Amino acid sequence: YFENRLAFVNGVKAAGGNAYPHKFHTSCQIPEYIAKYEAIGSGEFSADSGIGLAGRIGSKRSGGKGLIFFDLVGDGAKVQVFADASKFTEFASLEKEERNAKFSALMVTMKRGDIVGVRGTPGKTRRGELSLFPTEMVLLTPCLHMLPKSGPGLPGLTDKETRYRQRYLDLIMNPGTRSNFITRTRIINFLRRFLDMHGFLEVETPMMNAIPGGATARPFITKHNELNLDMYMRIAPELYLKVSLVQFAPDPVEQLCFSAAVVVLG
């Protein structure tokens, strides 16, 4: 799979194309799109046209000749893309057979996991599923590795070793992991705003010390080549906060990005 996708990318470059387009202008994010157009009736279309969305292809299904369905995933939400060859602007002047052939050639380049840009008209299918009916689709970032299988009845990525060693894959496959990351960020931002409102000063302190600190804990040792010094990774972050307290800061607070812990002295 990897060799085939890499060959495709190299083929696009060799033909003078750009396998990784610089820009694709979007009209809104997928959650905003859903909120704005959810009220459309079944089988109806919005008066808006040229609405642009971008996201990752979560699934791809064939609906017959000249018809492909995609699930476009992004920002924790999903929307269907109803790709009909007859609606694409670049194929409008072609005869049916040639149009379907060009359409199929374009669809073959788009795989599950790829990031794509879609532009078209919002609407709902006869069954009432909110969709985007595209007049244009652009491959923005090819996914070079096949994603694990997912879908109804499938647990997603469950192997703990893979999840922690390939965190990006965990974020793609498991919405709960993404939700945890977002919640963590919001908690940290709230703590930062709260402490800032109450007069605390955020400081950054050294990660490496010239002497080991942290009671009886065994320190991590590395070498500062330019100064020819042995350096020790800090274990007790409050030591430099105490120094800050003595020097000038009445209420120093430090954000420890690697552990999401907040240490306050005051």
Side-chain angles (χ1 to χ4, degrees):
Y1 188 87
F2 173 76
E3 286 77 11
N4 289 338
R5 292 298 276 168
L6 193 60
F8 163 74
V9 171
N10 292 333
V12 172
K13 293 178 179 178
N18 187 358
Y20 301 94
H22 176 58
K23 277 187 179 181
F24 181 85
H25 293 284
T26 59
S27 306
C28 56
Q29 303 298 320
I30 294 177
E32 298 169 14
Y33 177 88
I34 295 173
K36 184 175 181 180
Y37 297 108
E38 186 61 39
I40 296 175
S42 299
E44 297 179 357
F45 296 89
S46 170
D48 300 336
S49 60
I51 302 299
L53 293 178
R56 187 182 298 277
I57 296 176
S59 68
K60 178 182 177 182
R61 308 176 298 281
S62 175
K65 202 167 186 179
L67 188 61
I68 299 289
F69 298 96
F70 296 95
D71 282 339
L72 195 66
V73 180
D75 299 303
K78 178 181 72 174
V79 67
Q80 179 176 263
V81 175
F82 193 108
D84 185 346
S86 63
K87 305 294 184 183
F88 274 63
T89 306
E90 62 179 309
F91 308 139
S93 61
L94 303 177
E95 295 295 330
K96 184 176 180 179
E97 291 301 322
E98 186 180 1
R99 181 178 64 216
N100 287 341
K102 293 277 189 182
F103 175 79
S104 297
L106 175 63
M107 293 298 104
V108 164
T109 65
M110 298 182 181
K111 308 287 187 181
R112 180 169 167 266
D114 290 351
I115 297 176
V116 297
V118 187
R119 196 176 310 281
T121 303
K124 280 189 176 179
T125 63
R126 293 177 182 177
R127 295 185 178 182
E129 183 167 1
L130 179 63
S131 305
L132 182 62
F133 296 80
T135 57
E136 175 191 4
M137 287 189 70
V138 180
L139 178 60
L140 302 177
T141 305
C143 181
L144 300 183
H145 296 272
M146 184 180 292
L147 296 180
K149 291 183 178 180
S150 65
L154 296 177
L157 185 64
T158 57
D159 183 72
K160 188 173 291 187
E161 181 82 7
T162 304
R163 289 182 60 192
Y164 284 98
R165 287 188 178 275
Q166 297 174 283
R167 182 59 89 181
Y168 55 88
L169 190 58
D170 187 23
L171 288 167
I172 291 173
M173 300 301 301
N174 297 324
T177 302
R178 182 181 182 279
S179 178
N180 290 342
F181 268 71
I182 293 173
T183 302
R184 173 186 179 276
T185 300
R186 288 175 177 170
I187 291 172
I188 293 172
N189 287 339
F190 171 79
L191 289 174
R192 178 180 278 112
R193 290 195 304 269
F194 178 84
L195 294 171
D196 184 62
M197 288 169 56
H198 287 78
F200 287 81
L201 182 68
E202 184 173 354
V203 297
E204 296 180 5
T205 59
M207 294 292 295
M208 308 302 297
N209 297 334
I211 57 173
T216 59
R218 180 181 296 176
F220 171 82
I221 305 174
T222 187
K223 184 78 172 181
H224 193 305
N225 293 327
E226 294 297 325
L227 299 179
N228 194 28
L229 288 177
D230 287 333
M231 302 293 289
Y232 304 87
M233 180 174 286
R234 70 179 185 183
I235 297 172
E238 72 274 8
L239 296 179
Y240 275 101
L241 290 176
K242 291 176 180 177
V243 173
S244 299
L245 188 65
V246 171
Q247 290 181 89
F248 67 92
D251 297 300
V253 55
E254 180 176 16
Q255 180 66 59
L256 304 182
C257 296
F258 61 86
S259 64
V262 175
V263 180
V264 179
L265 293 175

